Amino acid sequence: MRIGIVGLGVVGLATGVVLAEQGHKIIGVDIDQNKVKGLECKRSPIYEPGLQEMLERYFHNFTFTTDYGLLSDTDLVFITVSTPTIDGKIYLGYVFDAAKRLGDVLKRNDTIVVIKSTVVPGTARKVKEIVKNDVVSNPEFLREGRAILDTKNPDRIVIGSENKEPGDLVENLWKFTNAPVIRTTWEEAEMIKYAANSFLAVKISFINEIANVCEKLKDCDVTVVAKAIGMDKRISPYFLNAGIGWGGSCFPKDTQAIVSFARDLGEELKIVEAAIKVNNERINRVISMLKGFIKEGNVCVLGVAFKPNTDDTRESVAIKLIKTLKSEGYKVVAYDPKAKADEAEMVGLDECIRIADAVIIATEWDEFKGLEEKLRGKFVIDGRRILDPSKMEKGKFKAIGLGE
Ligand code: UGA
């Protein structure tokens, strides 16, 4: 098929390379000229495992452009533009702009417009009014750092459509994944995405609150508690890692967006609101742990990306931590294997540890596992529970969810 992709962020690019591997011709459109120029030279604008290699391998199936006109004769166009939260509410301007431009250029009335961007319920209906062509809602559940793996092996494919045939076409497109398919209405598909992200955020905030209590107890470790409760199939072991909080380009904006969307409908999402509140308090807990060690001095923050295996720092808790540390008068140096932060002086790993009085692990990169020996002599706070407490010095080590 000839497939258009509007918006070349992580979702657009992962969708593109995976479908290019299946032999489809992909026309990738973005308004960012530099991004398009880089992609024309086979350069991925982001770090995501496997993305650069896939881009090079299937480059013959790609056209990158800023010109929507090249989408005129496509079988299907994915909208994968960003949907930021501005002043606590979802901003859908990029989605509607894309829809308007598609409405102008699409020559065939059988080109299907597929919305992959995370959008509040009712959006597909509005996009249909703009483009006139069939619209399918096909939300994305990939995680950054695993974008290609998740796109090839999703847990499920959700397809929301008004009419059966366009939904069938999208279902066929993803058949190679062998994932179970849920056919839904537009609104259900849109709601599923928010319910999924909110639930995951709630799950993490829940274990983070349990971690708070564990810290107050003698001989109590939240990782053991999480492991045991996760063995209950009804709970499952995933997204139960206590830490300094959830960040990234999705959970913070999506939880806020759905809370305000619900509120506009006269409903309160009290549990999601509580999860946000718990998350906002995470950094202060780390700061008070640090103050228990030192009130001033050099702090090395290990990890600035919002999670491992990405160079993405959007809404990264590590960056918020760096800002708070600086406002509290600490001197901050940081190291990350892939990501950069303007907020701190970025140095090498050894250098970062050497100059530090205290080290805080903020992102659980594999590279930071097994650092126990190197950290001897320093105050250490394990914000992501990757160090072995039994190998750490007594009186100089604290960890999220670990009692005295
Ligand atoms: C999230 C969802 O997991 C995806 O299913 C969804 O498609 C995506 O948002 C999206 O809406 O596009 P992502 O933001 O890439 O994916 O990253 P996650 O792996 O979900 O991590 C989010 C945050 O939660 C990170 O800051 C991570 O460190 C934190 N986290 C995750 C924890 O603190 N504990 C955990 O157990 C898991």
Side-chain angles (χ1 to χ4, degrees):
M1 282 202 276
R2 278 172 64 76
I3 297 177
I5 296 188
V6 177
L8 300 173
V10 58
V11 173
L13 288 170
T15 304
V17 293
V18 168
L19 292 177
E21 185 179 41
Q22 294 299 312
H24 299 292
K25 294 287 174 205
I26 309 293
I27 301 141
V29 179
D30 201 288
I31 49 171
D32 182 341
Q33 283 197 0
N34 285 333
K35 194 185 270 186
V36 168
K37 271 189 196 141
L39 283 163
E40 281 175 327
C41 304
K42 303 186 188 175
R43 259 201 325 272
S44 168
I46 49 168
Y47 171 72
E48 181 63 42
L51 182 57
Q52 180 64 38
E53 294 77 2
M54 297 262 291
L55 184 64
E56 287 170 24
R57 196 171 320 141
Y58 302 108
F59 193 71
H60 54 281
N61 282 339
F62 273 105
T63 306
F64 293 107
T65 179
T66 53
D67 178 8
Y68 272 73
L70 298 193
L71 299 172
S72 62
D73 183 29
T74 41
D75 298 298
L76 191 146
V77 180
F78 283 100
I79 297 183
T80 53
V81 296
S82 64
T83 50
T85 295
I86 299 178
D87 294 334
K89 279 194 193 294
I90 190 168
Y91 174 72
L92 288 168
Y94 302 130
V95 173
F96 293 142
D97 280 353
K100 273 183 212 122
R101 296 176 86 161
L102 287 175
D104 291 342
V105 299
L106 294 180
K107 280 200 199 118
R108 292 164 37 186
N109 57 13
D110 64 343
T111 300
I112 298 167
V113 174
V114 186
I115 305 177
K116 250 198 187 305
S117 303
T118 301
V119 292
V120 288
T123 307
R125 210 168 274 283
K126 289 185 189 146
V127 168
K128 163 87 197 189
E129 280 167 24
I130 300 169
V131 293
K132 308 288 189 261
N133 286 29
D134 276 309
V135 172
V136 172
S137 174
N138 176 213
E140 182 52 60
F141 301 102
L142 67 78
R143 289 160 289 181
E144 284 189 37
R146 300 180 49 92
I148 289 166
L149 285 174
D150 283 353
T151 305
K152 286 185 178 185
N153 304 295
D155 287 344
R156 75 305 206 184
I157 304 272
V158 174
I159 296 174
S161 62
E162 186 183 34
N163 301 315
K164 188 174 174 303
E165 293 74 28
D168 289 349
L169 195 115
V170 178
E171 183 169 344
N172 263 330
L173 181 68
W174 293 116
K175 214 167 205 122
F176 70 93
T177 65
N178 291 321
V181 175
I182 315 271
R183 297 291 291 263
T184 69
T185 64
W186 283 326
E187 278 74 14
E188 284 162 350
E190 292 163 329
M191 197 63 211
I192 286 166
K193 171 68 194 219
Y194 280 102
N197 271 5
S198 300
F199 188 81
L200 293 169
V202 164
K203 208 174 167 191
I204 302 167
S205 280
F206 171 81
I207 201 69
N208 282 340
E209 279 205 305
I210 298 293
N212 293 348
V213 181
C214 291
E215 283 162 27
K216 296 274 161 65
L217 301 175
K218 201 173 158 6
D219 289 338
C220 191
D221 186 341
V222 73
T223 61
V224 179
V225 177
K227 189 175 171 191
I229 64 170
M231 284 174 177
D232 185 326
K233 291 186 191 63
R234 294 167 301 173
I235 296 173
S236 103
Y238 311 106
F239 279 64
L240 276 183
N241 297 322
I244 60 172
W246 37 268
S249 63
C250 303
F251 286 177
K253 85 168 167 74
D254 291 347
T255 46
Q256 272 190 51
I258 197 66
V259 161
S260 78
F261 179 77
R263 190 156 279 176
D264 288 347
L265 295 173
E267 296 296 337
E268 266 183 282
L269 290 177
K270 300 187 198 80
I271 295 174
V272 183
E273 285 185 42
I276 296 171
K277 187 161 175 263
V278 169
N279 200 53
N280 290 340
E281 288 161 2
R282 298 309 290 157
I283 284 173
N284 288 341
R285 296 193 67 90
V286 179
I287 299 286
S288 55
M289 278 184 182
L290 179 65
K291 286 195 171 151
F293 287 143
I294 51 168
K295 301 258 181 328
E296 54 182 19
N298 293 323
V299 179
C300 153
V301 173
L302 292 184
V304 298
F306 87 92
K307 62 182 277 189
N309 299 321
T310 175
D311 57 359
D312 195 343
T313 58
R314 284 177 289 174
E315 293 287 324
S316 169
V317 185
I319 303 270
K320 289 184 186 158
L321 174 66
I322 289 169
K323 286 188 189 154
T324 313
L325 285 167
K326 282 166 73 179
S327 71
E328 294 280 333
Y330 294 97
K331 287 213 179 91
V332 187
V333 282
Y335 167 75
D336 190 287
K338 292 283 178 203
K340 294 202 170 28
D342 295 334
E343 292 77 1
E345 188 190 340
M346 302 293 298
V347 294
L349 175 62
D350 290 345
E351 168 92 345
C352 196
I353 297 172
R354 190 182 57 76
I355 40 186
D357 301 304
V359 177
I360 303 176
I361 296 184
T363 313
E364 66 276 33
W365 284 96
D366 275 348
E367 198 177 326
F368 304 152
K369 290 178 185 157
L371 274 185
E372 292 86 352
E373 200 49 47
K374 264 197 180 158
L375 293 168
R376 289 216 147 258
K378 309 287 178 183
F379 293 109
V380 179
I381 296 171
D382 185 355
R384 295 288 182 189
R385 298 309 309 268
I386 57 167
L387 299 174
D388 179 350
S390 70
K391 293 186 182 157
M392 301 305 291
E393 289 171 277
K394 286 243 156 14
K396 291 196 139 193
F397 177 65
K398 282 190 175 146
I400 292 291
L402 183 66
E404 289 301 321

